[in-house]
Coordinates of all heavy atoms in Angstrom, one line a residue:
M1 N 44.5 -6.2 -75.7 CA 44.7 -4.8 -75.8 C 46.1 -4.6 -76.2 O 47.1 -5.3 -75.6 CB 44.3 -4.2 -74.6 CG 44.0 -2.7 -74.6 SD 42.9 -2.3 -73.4 CE 43.2 -0.5 -73.3
G2 N 46.6 -3.4 -76.9 CA 47.8 -3.3 -77.4 C 48.6 -2.7 -76.3 O 48.3 -2.3 -75.2
D3 N 49.9 -2.3 -76.7 CA 50.9 -1.7 -75.8 C 50.7 -0.3 -75.8 O 51.5 0.4 -75.1 CB 52.4 -2.1 -76.2 CG 52.7 -3.6 -76.1 OD1 52.0 -4.1 -75.2 OD2 53.4 -4.1 -76.6
G4 N 49.9 0.3 -76.5 CA 49.7 1.8 -76.5 C 50.3 2.4 -77.7 O 50.5 1.8 -78.7
F5 N 50.6 3.6 -77.7 CA 51.0 4.5 -78.7 C 52.3 5.2 -78.5 O 52.4 5.7 -77.3 CB 49.9 5.4 -79.2 CG 50.2 6.4 -80.2 CD1 50.0 5.9 -81.6 CD2 50.6 7.7 -80.0 CE1 50.3 6.7 -82.6 CE2 51.0 8.5 -81.1 CZ 50.8 8.0 -82.3
S6 N 53.2 5.1 -79.3 CA 54.5 5.8 -79.1 C 54.9 6.5 -80.4 O 54.5 6.0 -81.5 CB 55.5 4.9 -78.6 OG 55.9 3.9 -79.6
V7 N 55.7 7.5 -80.3 CA 56.2 8.3 -81.5 C 57.7 8.4 -81.3 O 58.2 8.8 -80.2 CB 55.5 9.7 -81.4 CG1 56.2 10.5 -82.6 CG2 54.0 9.6 -81.6
D8 N 58.4 8.0 -82.3 CA 59.9 8.1 -82.3 C 60.2 9.5 -82.9 O 60.3 9.7 -84.1 CB 60.4 7.0 -83.2 CG 61.8 7.0 -83.2 OD1 62.5 8.0 -82.8 OD2 62.5 5.9 -83.5
L9 N 60.4 10.4 -81.9 CA 60.7 11.8 -82.3 C 62.0 11.9 -83.1 O 62.1 12.7 -84.0 CB 60.8 12.7 -81.1 CG 59.5 12.8 -80.3 CD1 59.6 13.6 -79.1 CD2 58.3 13.3 -81.2
T10 N 63.0 11.2 -82.8 CA 64.3 11.1 -83.5 C 64.0 10.7 -85.0 O 64.5 11.3 -86.0 CB 65.2 10.2 -82.9 OG1 65.5 10.5 -81.5 CG2 66.6 10.2 -83.6
A11 N 63.2 9.7 -85.2 CA 62.9 9.2 -86.6 C 62.1 10.3 -87.4 O 62.4 10.5 -88.5 CB 62.1 8.0 -86.5
L12 N 61.2 11.0 -86.8 CA 60.5 12.1 -87.3 C 61.6 13.3 -87.7 O 61.5 13.8 -88.8 CB 59.4 12.8 -86.5 CG 58.2 11.9 -86.3 CD1 57.2 12.6 -85.3 CD2 57.5 11.6 -87.6
S13 N 62.4 13.6 -86.8 CA 63.4 14.6 -87.1 C 64.3 14.2 -88.2 O 64.7 15.0 -89.1 CB 64.3 14.9 -85.8 OG 63.4 15.6 -84.9
D14 N 64.8 12.9 -88.2 CA 65.6 12.3 -89.1 C 64.9 12.3 -90.6 O 65.6 12.7 -91.6 CB 66.2 11.0 -88.9 CG 67.0 10.9 -87.7 OD1 67.6 12.0 -87.3 OD2 67.2 9.8 -87.2
A15 N 63.7 12.1 -90.6 CA 62.9 12.1 -91.9 C 62.9 13.5 -92.4 O 63.2 13.8 -93.6 CB 61.5 11.6 -91.7
A16 N 62.7 14.6 -91.6 CA 62.6 15.9 -92.0 C 64.0 16.3 -92.6 O 64.1 16.9 -93.7 CB 62.2 16.8 -91.0
N17 N 65.0 16.0 -91.9 CA 66.4 16.3 -92.2 C 66.8 15.6 -93.6 O 67.4 16.1 -94.3 CB 67.4 16.0 -91.2 CG 67.3 17.0 -90.0 OD1 66.8 18.0 -90.1 ND2 67.5 16.4 -88.8
G18 N 66.4 14.3 -93.7 CA 66.6 13.6 -94.9 C 66.0 14.2 -96.1 O 66.6 14.3 -97.1
I19 N 64.8 14.6 -96.0 CA 64.0 15.3 -97.0 C 64.8 16.5 -97.4 O 65.0 16.9 -98.6 CB 62.6 15.6 -96.6 CG1 61.8 14.3 -96.5 CG2 61.9 16.5 -97.6 CD1 60.5 14.3 -95.7
L20 N 65.1 17.4 -96.4 CA 65.8 18.6 -96.7 C 67.1 18.3 -97.4 O 67.5 19.1 -98.3 CB 66.1 19.4 -95.4 CG 64.8 20.0 -94.8 CD1 65.1 20.6 -93.5 CD2 64.2 21.0 -95.7
D21 N 67.9 17.4 -97.0 CA 69.1 17.1 -97.6 C 69.0 16.7 -99.1 O 69.7 17.1 -100.0 CB 69.9 15.9 -96.9 CG 70.4 16.3 -95.5 OD1 70.5 17.5 -95.3 OD2 70.7 15.4 -94.8
T22 N 68.0 15.9 -99.3 CA 67.6 15.5 -100.7 C 67.3 16.6 -101.6 O 67.7 16.8 -102.7 CB 66.4 14.4 -100.8 OG1 66.9 13.2 -100.0 CG2 66.2 14.0 -102.2
M23 N 66.5 17.6 -101.0 CA 66.1 18.7 -101.8 C 67.3 19.6 -102.0 O 67.4 20.2 -103.1 CB 65.0 19.5 -101.1 CG 63.7 18.7 -101.0 SD 63.1 18.0 -102.5 CE 62.7 19.4 -103.5
D24 N 68.1 19.7 -101.1 CA 69.5 20.5 -101.2 C 70.3 20.0 -102.4 O 70.8 20.7 -103.3 CB 70.3 20.6 -100.0 CG 69.7 21.4 -98.9 OD1 68.8 22.3 -99.3 OD2 70.1 21.3 -97.8
Q25 N 70.4 18.6 -102.5 CA 71.0 18.0 -103.6 C 70.4 18.2 -104.8 O 71.2 18.4 -105.9 CB 71.3 16.5 -103.4 CG 72.1 16.1 -102.1 CD 72.0 14.6 -101.8 OE1 71.4 13.8 -102.4 NE2 72.7 14.2 -100.7
M26 N 69.1 18.2 -104.9 CA 68.4 18.5 -106.2 C 68.5 19.9 -106.6 O 68.5 20.2 -107.8 CB 66.9 18.1 -106.0 CG 66.7 16.7 -105.9 SD 65.0 16.2 -105.6 CE 64.2 16.7 -107.1
A27 N 68.7 20.8 -105.7 CA 68.8 22.2 -106.0 C 70.1 22.6 -106.7 O 70.1 23.6 -107.3 CB 68.6 23.1 -104.7
T28 N 71.0 21.8 -106.6 CA 72.3 22.1 -107.2 C 72.4 22.2 -108.7 O 73.0 22.8 -109.5 CB 73.5 21.2 -106.7 OG1 73.2 19.8 -107.0 CG2 73.7 21.4 -105.3
T29 N 71.4 21.3 -109.4 CA 71.2 21.3 -110.8 C 69.7 21.3 -111.1 O 69.1 20.3 -110.6 CB 71.8 20.0 -111.3 OG1 73.2 20.0 -110.9 CG2 71.8 19.9 -112.9
R30 N 69.3 22.1 -111.8 CA 68.0 22.1 -112.3 C 67.8 21.2 -113.4 O 68.8 21.1 -114.3 CB 67.6 23.6 -112.7 CG 67.7 24.8 -111.8 CD 66.8 24.8 -110.6 NE 65.5 24.3 -110.8 CZ 64.7 24.1 -109.7 NH1 65.2 24.1 -108.5 NH2 63.5 23.6 -109.9
V31 N 66.6 20.6 -113.5 CA 66.4 19.6 -114.6 C 66.4 20.4 -116.0 O 67.0 19.9 -116.9 CB 65.1 18.9 -114.4 CG1 64.7 17.9 -115.6 CG2 65.0 18.2 -113.2
E32 N 66.0 21.6 -115.9 CA 65.9 22.4 -117.1 C 67.4 22.7 -117.7 O 67.6 22.8 -118.8 CB 65.4 23.8 -116.8 CG 65.1 24.8 -117.9 CD 64.3 26.0 -117.5 OE1 64.8 26.7 -116.6 OE2 63.2 26.2 -118.0
D33 N 68.5 22.6 -116.8 CA 69.8 22.8 -117.3 C 70.4 21.6 -118.0 O 71.4 21.7 -118.5 CB 70.7 23.0 -116.0 CG 70.4 24.4 -115.4 OD1 69.7 25.2 -116.0 OD2 70.7 24.5 -114.2
L34 N 69.6 20.5 -117.9 CA 70.0 19.3 -118.6 C 69.6 19.2 -120.0 O 69.9 18.2 -120.7 CB 69.5 18.0 -117.8 CG 69.9 17.9 -116.2 CD1 69.3 16.7 -115.7 CD2 71.4 17.9 -116.1
E35 N 68.8 20.1 -120.5 CA 68.3 20.1 -121.9 C 69.4 20.1 -122.8 O 70.3 20.8 -122.9 CB 67.4 21.5 -122.0 CG 66.7 21.5 -123.3 CD 65.9 22.7 -123.4 OE1 65.4 23.3 -122.4 OE2 65.8 23.2 -124.5
P36 N 69.3 18.9 -123.7 CA 70.4 18.8 -124.7 C 70.2 19.7 -125.9 O 69.1 20.0 -126.2 CB 70.2 17.4 -125.1 CG 68.8 17.1 -124.8 CD 68.4 18.0 -123.7
S37 N 71.3 19.9 -126.6 CA 71.3 20.7 -127.8 C 71.1 19.7 -128.9 O 71.3 18.6 -128.8 CB 72.5 21.5 -128.0 OG 73.6 20.7 -128.1
S38 N 70.8 20.3 -130.1 CA 70.6 19.5 -131.3 C 71.9 18.8 -131.6 O 71.9 17.7 -132.1 CB 70.2 20.4 -132.4 OG 69.0 20.9 -132.3
D39 N 73.1 19.5 -131.4 CA 74.3 18.9 -131.6 C 74.7 17.7 -130.7 O 75.2 16.7 -131.3 CB 75.6 20.0 -131.4 CG 75.4 21.1 -132.5 OD1 74.8 20.9 -133.5 OD2 75.9 22.2 -132.2
Q40 N 74.2 17.8 -129.6 CA 74.5 16.7 -128.5 C 73.6 15.5 -128.9 O 74.1 14.3 -128.7 CB 74.2 17.1 -127.2 CG 75.1 18.2 -126.6 CD 74.7 18.7 -125.3 OE1 73.4 19.1 -125.1 NE2 75.6 18.8 -124.4
V41 N 72.4 15.7 -129.4 CA 71.5 14.6 -129.8 C 71.6 14.0 -131.1 O 71.5 13.0 -131.4 CB 70.1 15.1 -129.4 CG1 69.0 14.0 -129.8 CG2 69.8 15.4 -128.0
G42 N 72.0 15.1 -132.0 CA 72.1 14.7 -133.4 C 70.9 14.8 -134.2 O 70.9 14.4 -135.5
H43 N 69.8 15.3 -133.7 CA 68.5 15.4 -134.4 C 67.7 16.6 -133.7 O 67.5 16.5 -132.5 CB 67.7 14.1 -134.2 CG 66.6 14.0 -135.1 ND1 65.3 14.4 -134.7 CD2 66.5 13.3 -136.3 CE1 64.6 14.2 -135.7 NE2 65.2 13.5 -136.7
D44 N 67.3 17.4 -134.6 CA 66.6 18.6 -134.1 C 65.3 18.3 -133.4 O 65.0 18.8 -132.3 CB 66.2 19.6 -135.3 CG 67.6 20.4 -135.8 OD1 68.5 20.3 -135.0 OD2 67.5 20.8 -136.9
A45 N 64.4 17.5 -134.0 CA 63.1 17.2 -133.4 C 63.3 16.4 -132.1 O 62.5 16.7 -131.1 CB 62.3 16.3 -134.4
L46 N 64.2 15.5 -132.0 CA 64.5 14.7 -130.8 C 65.0 15.8 -129.7 O 64.4 15.7 -128.5 CB 65.6 13.7 -131.0 CG 65.9 12.9 -129.8 CD1 64.7 12.3 -129.2 CD2 66.9 11.8 -130.2
A47 N 65.9 16.7 -130.0 CA 66.5 17.8 -129.1 C 65.3 18.5 -128.6 O 65.1 18.9 -127.4 CB 67.4 18.6 -129.7
G48 N 64.3 18.9 -129.5 CA 63.2 19.6 -129.1 C 62.3 19.0 -128.1 O 61.7 19.5 -127.1
T49 N 62.0 17.7 -128.4 CA 61.3 16.9 -127.5 C 61.8 16.6 -126.2 O 61.2 16.7 -125.2 CB 61.0 15.5 -128.2 OG1 60.2 15.7 -129.5 CG2 60.0 14.6 -127.4
L50 N 63.2 16.4 -126.2 CA 63.8 16.2 -124.9 C 63.9 17.6 -124.1 O 63.7 17.6 -122.9 CB 65.3 15.7 -125.2 CG 65.5 14.3 -125.6 CD1 66.9 14.0 -126.0 CD2 65.0 13.3 -124.5
G51 N 64.0 18.6 -124.8 CA 64.0 20.0 -124.2 C 62.6 20.2 -123.4 O 62.6 20.7 -122.4
Q52 N 61.6 19.8 -124.2 CA 60.1 20.1 -123.7 C 60.0 19.1 -122.5 O 59.5 19.6 -121.4 CB 59.2 19.7 -124.7 CG 57.8 19.9 -124.3 CD 56.7 19.5 -125.3 OE1 57.0 18.7 -126.2 NE2 55.6 20.2 -125.4
F53 N 60.5 17.9 -122.5 CA 60.4 17.0 -121.4 C 61.1 17.5 -120.1 O 60.6 17.6 -119.2 CB 61.0 15.6 -121.8 CG 61.1 14.7 -120.7 CD1 60.1 14.0 -120.2 CD2 62.4 14.5 -120.0 CE1 60.1 13.1 -119.1 CE2 62.5 13.6 -118.9 CZ 61.2 13.0 -118.4
C54 N 62.3 18.1 -120.4 CA 63.1 18.7 -119.3 C 62.4 19.8 -118.6 O 62.4 20.0 -117.5 CB 64.5 19.0 -119.8 SG 65.7 17.6 -120.2
R55 N 61.9 20.7 -119.5 CA 61.2 21.9 -119.0 C 59.9 21.5 -118.2 O 59.7 22.0 -117.0 CB 60.7 22.8 -120.1 CG 62.0 23.6 -120.7 CD 61.6 24.6 -121.8 NE 60.9 24.1 -122.9 CZ 61.5 23.6 -123.9 NH1 62.9 23.5 -124.0 NH2 60.9 23.1 -124.9
R56 N 59.2 20.5 -118.6 CA 58.0 20.0 -117.9 C 58.4 19.3 -116.5 O 57.8 19.5 -115.5 CB 57.1 19.0 -118.7 CG 56.4 19.9 -119.7 CD 55.6 18.8 -120.7 NE 55.0 19.5 -121.8 CZ 53.8 19.6 -121.9 NH1 52.9 18.9 -121.1 NH2 53.2 20.3 -122.9
W57 N 59.5 18.5 -116.7 CA 60.0 17.8 -115.5 C 60.4 18.9 -114.5 O 60.3 18.7 -113.3 CB 61.3 16.9 -116.0 CG 61.8 16.0 -114.9 CD1 61.3 15.8 -113.6 CD2 63.0 15.3 -115.0 NE1 62.1 14.9 -113.0 CE2 63.2 14.6 -113.8 CE3 64.0 15.1 -116.0 CZ2 64.3 13.7 -113.6 CZ3 65.0 14.3 -115.8 CH2 65.2 13.7 -114.6
D58 N 61.1 19.9 -114.9 CA 61.5 20.9 -114.0 C 60.4 21.6 -113.2 O 60.5 21.8 -112.1 CB 62.4 22.0 -114.8 CG 63.2 22.9 -113.8 OD1 63.9 22.4 -113.1 OD2 62.8 24.2 -113.9
I59 N 59.3 21.8 -114.0 CA 58.1 22.4 -113.4 C 57.6 21.4 -112.2 O 57.2 21.8 -111.2 CB 57.0 22.6 -114.4 CG1 57.4 23.8 -115.3 CG2 55.6 22.9 -113.7 CD1 56.5 23.9 -116.6
G60 N 57.6 20.1 -112.6 CA 57.2 19.1 -111.6 C 58.0 19.1 -110.3 O 57.6 19.0 -109.2
V61 N 59.5 19.2 -110.6 CA 60.3 19.4 -109.5 C 60.1 20.5 -108.6 O 60.1 20.5 -107.4 CB 61.8 19.3 -109.9 CG1 62.8 19.6 -108.7 CG2 62.0 17.9 -110.5
V62 N 59.8 21.7 -109.3 CA 59.4 22.9 -108.5 C 58.3 22.8 -107.6 O 58.3 23.1 -106.4 CB 59.4 24.1 -109.5 CG1 58.8 25.3 -108.7 CG2 60.8 24.5 -110.0
N63 N 57.2 22.1 -108.3 CA 56.0 21.8 -107.4 C 56.4 20.9 -106.3 O 55.7 21.0 -105.2 CB 54.9 21.3 -108.4 CG 54.3 22.3 -109.3 OD1 54.4 23.5 -109.1 ND2 53.9 21.9 -110.4
L64 N 57.2 19.9 -106.5 CA 57.5 18.9 -105.5 C 58.2 19.6 -104.4 O 57.9 19.4 -103.2 CB 58.4 17.8 -106.1 CG 59.0 16.7 -105.1 CD1 57.8 16.0 -104.5 CD2 59.9 15.8 -105.9
E65 N 59.1 20.6 -104.7 CA 59.8 21.4 -103.6 C 58.8 22.1 -102.8 O 59.0 22.2 -101.6 CB 60.8 22.3 -104.3 CG 62.0 21.7 -104.9 CD 62.9 22.6 -105.7 OE1 62.4 23.6 -106.1 OE2 63.9 22.3 -106.0
K66 N 57.8 22.6 -103.4 CA 56.8 23.3 -102.6 C 56.0 22.4 -101.6 O 55.8 22.8 -100.4 CB 55.7 24.1 -103.4 CG 56.3 25.2 -104.3 CD 55.2 25.8 -105.3 CE 55.9 26.7 -106.2 NZ 55.0 27.1 -107.2
D67 N 55.6 21.2 -102.1 CA 55.0 20.2 -101.3 C 56.0 19.7 -100.2 O 55.5 19.6 -99.1 CB 54.6 19.0 -102.2 CG 53.4 19.4 -103.2 OD1 52.8 20.4 -102.9 OD2 53.3 18.6 -104.0
V68 N 57.2 19.6 -100.5 CA 58.3 19.2 -99.5 C 58.3 20.2 -98.4 O 58.4 19.8 -97.2 CB 59.6 18.8 -100.2 CG1 60.7 18.8 -99.2 CG2 59.5 17.5 -101.0
D69 N 58.3 21.4 -98.8 CA 58.5 22.4 -97.7 C 57.2 22.3 -96.8 O 57.4 22.4 -95.5 CB 58.4 23.9 -98.3 CG 59.7 24.2 -99.0 OD1 60.7 23.6 -98.7 OD2 59.7 25.1 -99.9
A70 N 56.1 22.1 -97.3 CA 54.9 21.8 -96.4 C 55.0 20.6 -95.5 O 54.8 20.7 -94.3 CB 53.6 21.8 -97.1
V71 N 55.6 19.5 -96.1 CA 55.7 18.3 -95.3 C 56.7 18.6 -94.2 O 56.5 18.1 -93.0 CB 56.2 17.2 -96.2 CG1 56.7 15.9 -95.4 CG2 55.0 16.8 -97.2
V72 N 57.9 19.1 -94.5 CA 58.9 19.4 -93.5 C 58.4 20.3 -92.4 O 58.7 20.1 -91.2 CB 60.2 19.9 -94.1 CG1 61.2 20.4 -93.2 CG2 60.8 18.9 -95.1
T73 N 57.6 21.4 -92.8 CA 57.2 22.2 -91.8 C 56.1 21.4 -90.8 O 56.2 21.7 -89.7 CB 56.3 23.3 -92.5 OG1 57.2 24.1 -93.2 CG2 55.7 24.3 -91.4
Q74 N 55.4 20.5 -91.4 CA 54.4 19.8 -90.6 C 55.1 18.7 -89.6 O 54.9 18.6 -88.5 CB 53.4 19.1 -91.4 CG 52.4 20.0 -92.0 CD 51.6 20.8 -91.0 OE1 51.1 20.3 -90.1 NE2 51.5 22.1 -91.3
L75 N 56.2 18.1 -90.2 CA 57.0 17.2 -89.4 C 57.6 17.9 -88.2 O 57.6 17.3 -87.1 CB 58.1 16.5 -90.2 CG 57.6 15.4 -91.1 CD1 58.8 14.9 -92.0 CD2 57.1 14.1 -90.3
A76 N 58.1 19.1 -88.5 CA 58.8 19.9 -87.4 C 57.7 20.2 -86.3 O 58.0 20.2 -85.2 CB 59.5 21.1 -88.0
E77 N 56.5 20.6 -86.8 CA 55.6 21.0 -85.9 C 55.1 19.9 -85.1 O 54.8 19.9 -83.8 CB 54.2 21.6 -86.6 CG 53.2 22.0 -85.7 CD 53.6 23.0 -84.6 OE1 54.5 23.9 -85.0 OE2 53.0 23.1 -83.6
V78 N 55.0 18.5 -85.6 CA 54.7 17.4 -84.9 C 55.6 17.1 -83.8 O 55.4 16.8 -82.7 CB 54.5 16.2 -85.8 CG1 54.4 14.9 -85.1 CG2 53.2 16.4 -86.7
V79 N 57.0 17.2 -84.1 CA 58.1 17.0 -83.3 C 57.9 17.9 -82.1 O 58.0 17.6 -80.8 CB 59.4 17.1 -83.9 CG1 60.5 17.1 -82.9 CG2 59.7 15.9 -84.9
R80 N 57.7 19.2 -82.4 CA 57.6 20.2 -81.3 C 56.4 19.9 -80.5 O 56.4 20.1 -79.2 CB 57.4 21.7 -81.9 CG 58.7 22.3 -82.3 CD 58.5 23.9 -82.6 NE 57.7 24.0 -83.8 CZ 58.1 24.0 -85.0 NH1 59.4 23.8 -85.3 NH2 57.3 24.2 -86.1
A81 N 55.3 19.5 -81.1 CA 54.1 19.2 -80.2 C 54.3 18.0 -79.3 O 54.0 18.1 -78.1 CB 52.8 19.0 -81.1
Y82 N 54.8 17.0 -79.8 CA 55.0 15.8 -79.0 C 56.1 16.1 -78.0 O 55.9 15.7 -76.8 CB 55.4 14.7 -79.8 CG 54.3 13.8 -80.4 CD1 54.1 13.8 -81.9 CD2 53.4 13.1 -79.6 CE1 53.0 13.2 -82.3 CE2 52.5 12.4 -80.1 CZ 52.1 12.4 -81.5 OH 51.1 11.7 -82.0
S83 N 57.1 16.9 -78.3 CA 58.3 17.2 -77.3 C 57.7 18.0 -76.2 O 57.9 17.7 -74.9 CB 59.4 17.9 -78.0 OG 60.1 17.0 -78.9
G84 N 56.8 19.0 -76.5 CA 56.2 19.9 -75.5 C 55.3 19.0 -74.6 O 55.3 19.4 -73.3
T85 N 54.5 18.2 -75.2 CA 53.6 17.4 -74.4 C 54.4 16.4 -73.4 O 54.0 16.3 -72.3 CB 52.7 16.6 -75.3 OG1 51.9 17.5 -76.1 CG2 51.7 15.7 -74.4
D86 N 55.4 15.8 -73.9 CA 56.2 14.9 -73.2 C 56.9 15.7 -72.1 O 56.9 15.2 -70.9 CB 57.4 14.2 -74.0 CG 56.8 13.2 -75.0 OD1 55.6 12.7 -74.7 OD2 57.5 12.7 -75.7
E87 N 57.4 16.8 -72.3 CA 58.0 17.7 -71.3 C 57.1 18.1 -70.2 O 57.3 18.1 -69.0 CB 58.8 18.9 -71.9 CG 59.6 19.5 -71.0 CD 60.7 18.7 -70.3 OE1 61.3 17.8 -70.9 OE2 60.9 19.0 -69.1
A88 N 55.9 18.5 -70.6 CA 55.0 19.0 -69.7 C 54.4 17.8 -68.7 O 54.4 18.0 -67.6 CB 53.7 19.5 -70.4
H89 N 54.3 16.6 -69.3 CA 53.9 15.5 -68.4 C 55.1 15.1 -67.6 O 54.9 14.8 -66.4 CB 53.5 14.3 -69.4 CG 52.1 14.4 -69.8 ND1 51.8 15.1 -71.0 CD2 51.0 14.0 -69.3 CE1 50.5 15.0 -71.2 NE2 49.9 14.5 -70.2
A90 N 56.3 15.1 -68.0 CA 57.4 14.7 -67.2 C 57.7 15.8 -66.1 O 57.9 15.4 -65.0 CB 58.7 14.8 -68.1
A91 N 57.4 17.1 -66.3 CA 57.5 18.1 -65.3 C 56.5 17.9 -64.2 O 56.7 17.9 -63.1 CB 57.4 19.4 -65.9
G92 N 55.3 17.4 -64.7 CA 54.2 17.1 -63.7 C 54.6 16.0 -62.8 O 54.4 16.0 -61.6
F93 N 55.1 14.9 -63.4 CA 55.6 13.7 -62.6 C 56.7 14.0 -61.7 O 56.8 13.7 -60.6 CB 56.0 12.6 -63.6 CG 54.7 11.9 -64.1 CD1 54.7 11.7 -65.6 CD2 53.9 11.3 -63.4 CE1 53.6 11.0 -66.0 CE2 52.8 10.6 -63.9 CZ 52.6 10.4 -65.2
R94 N 57.6 14.8 -62.2 CA 58.7 15.4 -61.3 C 58.2 16.1 -60.1 O 58.6 15.9 -58.9 CB 59.8 16.1 -62.1 CG 60.7 15.3 -62.9 CD 61.9 16.2 -63.5 NE 61.4 17.3 -64.2 CZ 61.3 17.3 -65.6 NH1 61.5 16.3 -66.3 NH2 60.9 18.3 -66.2
G95 N 57.2 16.8 -60.3 CA 56.6 17.6 -59.2 C 56.0 16.7 -58.1 O 56.0 17.0 -56.9
V96 N 55.3 15.6 -58.7 CA 54.7 14.7 -57.7 C 55.7 13.9 -57.1 O 55.7 13.6 -55.8 CB 53.6 13.8 -58.4 CG1 53.1 12.8 -57.6 CG2 52.5 14.7 -59.0
I97 N 56.5 13.3 -57.8 CA 57.5 12.2 -57.3 C 58.5 13.0 -56.5 O 59.1 12.4 -55.5 CB 58.2 11.4 -58.4 CG1 57.0 10.7 -59.1 CG2 59.2 10.6 -57.9 CD1 57.5 9.9 -60.3
G98 N 58.9 14.1 -56.8 CA 60.0 14.8 -56.2 C 59.7 15.5 -54.9 O 60.6 16.0 -54.2
R99 N 58.4 15.4 -54.4 CA 58.1 16.1 -53.1 C 58.7 15.4 -51.9 O 58.7 14.2 -51.8 CB 56.5 16.1 -52.9 CG 55.9 17.0 -53.8 CD 54.4 17.0 -53.3 NE 53.6 17.9 -54.4 CZ 52.4 17.9 -54.4 NH1 51.6 17.2 -53.5 NH2 51.7 18.9 -55.2
S100 N 59.3 16.1 -51.1 CA 60.0 15.5 -49.9 C 59.1 15.9 -48.6 O 59.3 15.3 -47.6 CB 61.3 16.1 -49.7 OG 61.4 17.5 -49.5
T101 N 58.2 16.8 -48.8 CA 57.2 17.2 -47.6 C 55.9 17.3 -48.2 O 55.5 17.4 -49.3 CB 57.7 18.5 -47.1 OG1 57.6 19.5 -48.1 CG2 59.2 18.5 -46.6
G102 N 54.9 17.5 -47.3 CA 53.5 17.6 -47.4 C 52.8 16.3 -47.7 O 53.3 15.2 -47.4
D103 N 51.5 16.6 -47.9 CA 50.7 15.4 -48.0 C 51.0 14.6 -49.2 O 51.4 15.1 -50.2 CB 49.2 15.9 -48.1 CG 48.7 16.5 -46.8 OD1 49.2 16.2 -45.8 OD2 47.8 17.3 -46.9
D104 N 50.8 13.2 -49.1 CA 51.0 12.4 -50.3 C 49.9 12.6 -51.3 O 48.7 12.4 -51.0 CB 50.9 10.9 -49.7 CG 51.3 9.9 -50.8 OD1 51.3 10.3 -52.0 OD2 51.3 8.8 -50.5
P105 N 50.2 13.0 -52.5 CA 49.3 13.3 -53.4 C 48.5 12.1 -54.0 O 47.4 12.2 -54.5 CB 50.0 14.0 -54.6 CG 51.3 13.6 -54.5 CD 51.6 13.3 -52.9
G106 N 49.1 10.9 -53.7 CA 48.5 9.7 -54.2 C 47.6 9.1 -53.1 O 46.9 8.1 -53.3
A107 N 47.6 9.6 -51.9 CA 46.7 9.1 -50.8 C 45.3 9.4 -51.0 O 45.0 10.5 -51.4 CB 47.4 9.6 -49.5
P108 N 44.4 8.5 -50.7 CA 43.0 8.8 -50.8 C 42.5 9.8 -49.8 O 43.0 10.1 -48.9 CB 42.2 7.4 -50.5 CG 43.4 6.4 -50.0 CD 44.7 7.2 -50.2

């Protein structure tokens, strides 16, 4: 039989923060802003194709941002749920172990 199940709440929080940091970095420059001009590329058709690619790529990044928001929200909810459960169980143990008077709750 295994050792049981454990959750690293710090790792979950770090994952959410890392995702948010990455998205913040991506937000400083839109892919659409990278669209080259004909002068920069030296060819009108190539500039048009690159521009279309950048616009589509930007749409993909916007959709990714929406998905990331959902992932971060769920990670935060998981951390809250596990933290709340851990705290509730710890409080219950403190109540049992910390009694200095009364009947022993572990006695048959």
Side-chain angles (χ1 to χ4, degrees):
M1 201 153 157
D3 291 336
F5 179 80
S6 66
V7 176
D8 187 342
L9 298 179
T10 302
L12 287 176
S13 293
D14 290 348
N17 291 331
I19 292 168
L20 289 173
D21 289 345
T22 300
M23 295 313 292
D24 285 344
Q25 291 172 7
M26 290 175 63
T28 58
T29 302
R30 303 295 321 169
V31 177
E32 192 174 52
D33 297 339
L34 303 175
E35 186 176 328
S37 68
S38 297
D39 293 337
Q40 291 171 317
V41 176
H43 192 272
D44 290 341
L46 179 57
T49 301
L50 288 171
Q52 183 181 28
F53 173 78
C54 287
R55 287 188 296 277
R56 288 177 184 244
W57 185 11
D58 194 59
I59 290 168
V61 170
V62 168
N63 289 332
L64 178 62
E65 289 171 343
K66 292 175 189 173
D67 292 342
V68 162
D69 286 341
V71 169
V72 168
T73 299
Q74 290 301 312
L75 282 173
E77 183 58 34
V78 167
V79 169
R80 277 192 295 277
Y82 276 113
S83 294
T85 302
D86 284 351
E87 187 55 40
H89 282 87
F93 283 123
R94 282 192 298 270
V96 170
I97 295 171
R99 287 185 182 174
S100 59
T101 60
D103 293 335
D104 181 355

